[in-house]
Amino acid sequence: MARTAYAHLRLQNRESERSQAVAQRGMALLRTINDTPTVSGIEPERPASPEKGHGTKMLAAGGGMLGDRGFGELQARFTYHDWLDNPEGYLNGAAIEAFHARIRRTESDDLSLEQLDVVNIKSLAPRNRFRNPISWFVNGGLDRRFIGDKRHLTRHIQGGPGLAWELGSVMPYAYAMARAENNSAHDVLVSTAAGARAGLLWYAEHFQLGLEAEGLYYHNDDRRYRPSATLNVPLGRNHALRARVERDGGPDRAETEFHLSWRYYFD
């Protein structure tokens, strides 16, 4: 502990002239370090090698219910890793996705593009007594949202700063967010909104769980919310089952979606 405190003191004062008080604190810590018996034989826990992680591309097949209507869905992701993929070989709380597409077919044989993430980057940087970093996220592409009483495909970009913490295997977080979108439901070319997103990630031994709630307030007084829960169960290195429940909508209408998929990762 004394070594850590001394390293932190040096880091804090690396660019400024050392004062008498700092010098005295440093000398006191050095005396404590010198008087503390050396503990040997403790090996730090080493993370899994990146080569042991899942493949960087992904295909998925699944289905579910949106309200009282069934659907089947195919997904493809060009790269790389999301929050709830098998974390072995990857950094917890980091997600980089590019060209992630979801195509859906409903019971009425309607085929539609449900989502296309051109880029989706999320970074959780846990805060502690020694470091206070800022987390952030940015996402751009297309997705379907309830606007009024109907789901519309929207072209959007959104992002914002946030805070995160690490409590053992659980990582709570909160983001402030801004969103700009274009859709057929609004008269203006670009609709803007501000809001917040909060949740937690649980990296258990045999599964990953994500809980999240998002709320947005638009410049035209439209309001939308989206709470969700997602469970990922790895089945070996390159296979996983994922279940998700989500409530999407606003004051006029909202529906609950249940979704189950099998995911295959490859290079």
Side-chain angles (χ1 to χ4, degrees):
M1 182 64 74
R3 293 181 184 275
T4 302
Y6 181 72
H8 182 58
L9 181 67
R10 292 291 302 273
L11 180 65
Q12 282 186 316
N13 296 275
R14 67 188 186 279
E15 295 181 353
S16 59
E17 186 175 347
R18 188 169 60 171
S19 66
Q20 183 67 26
V22 170
Q24 290 175 349
R25 288 171 58 194
M27 184 60 67
L29 287 170
L30 288 173
R31 290 195 187 99
T32 301
I33 293 170
N34 188 58
D35 294 338
T36 302
T38 301
V39 178
S40 60
I42 298 178
E43 287 291 332
E45 183 179 353
R46 299 183 182 276
S49 169
E51 289 80 6
K52 295 183 178 180
H54 63 76
T56 57
K57 299 179 178 63
M58 186 272 294
L59 295 174
M65 298 290 294
L66 177 61
D68 58 358
R69 305 178 303 281
F71 63 85
E73 188 173 279
L74 295 176
Q75 297 184 50
R77 185 178 70 200
F78 183 74
T79 190
Y80 170 59
H81 175 78
D82 73 22
W83 271 349
L84 297 176
D85 287 329
N86 188 343
E88 185 174 9
Y90 291 84
L91 181 65
N92 287 357
I96 301 176
E97 297 181 273
F99 300 104
H100 180 193
R102 297 166 53 201
I103 298 175
R104 177 174 296 186
R105 188 162 204 163
T106 64
E107 290 178 335
S108 60
D109 290 332
D110 292 330
L111 186 66
S112 62
L113 175 64
E114 191 69 16
Q115 176 185 338
L116 174 61
D117 284 330
V118 177
V119 62
N120 186 16
I121 302 174
K122 294 182 284 190
S123 172
L124 292 184
R127 301 165 71 87
N128 53 42
R129 292 176 58 187
F130 302 107
R131 298 176 64 251
N132 297 297
I134 299 298
S135 302
W136 59 276
F137 84 101
V138 63
N139 170 231
L142 299 93
D143 64 2
R144 288 196 179 272
R145 298 275 181 132
F146 266 110
I147 304 173
D149 61 354
K150 185 180 178 182
R151 298 178 81 237
H152 292 263
L153 186 66
T154 67
R155 294 148 289 276
H156 72 274
I157 184 168
Q158 59 186 10
L163 304 177
W165 299 264
E166 192 165 22
L167 309 174
S169 59
V170 176
M171 298 180 69
Y173 62 89
Y175 290 113
M177 61 183 297
R179 177 179 170 102
E181 68 179 53
N182 166 263
N183 59 70
S184 59
H186 292 161
D187 294 332
V188 296
L189 180 64
V190 177
S191 299
T192 57
R197 175 186 290 177
L200 64 84
L201 303 175
W202 180 16
Y203 292 101
E205 184 177 357
H206 299 296
F207 64 87
Q208 296 79 49
L209 177 66
L211 303 176
E212 186 172 87
E214 173 186 299
L216 286 167
Y217 182 80
Y218 284 75
H219 72 281
N220 60 358
D221 292 332
D222 188 15
R223 297 183 300 280
R224 296 184 219 158
Y225 57 86
R226 182 180 277 188
S228 65
T230 307
L231 174 68
N232 190 80
V233 181
L235 304 174
R237 177 188 173 193
N238 285 320
H239 299 270
L241 286 176
R242 182 168 296 194
R244 179 178 176 86
V245 58
E246 175 181 281
R247 181 77 173 171
D248 181 30
D252 299 321
R253 182 177 175 181
E255 286 190 324
T256 301
E257 177 180 311
F258 298 92
H259 186 261
L260 179 66
S261 64
W262 165 78
R263 299 162 73 89
Y264 170 63
Y265 305 86
F266 62 100
D267 288 311

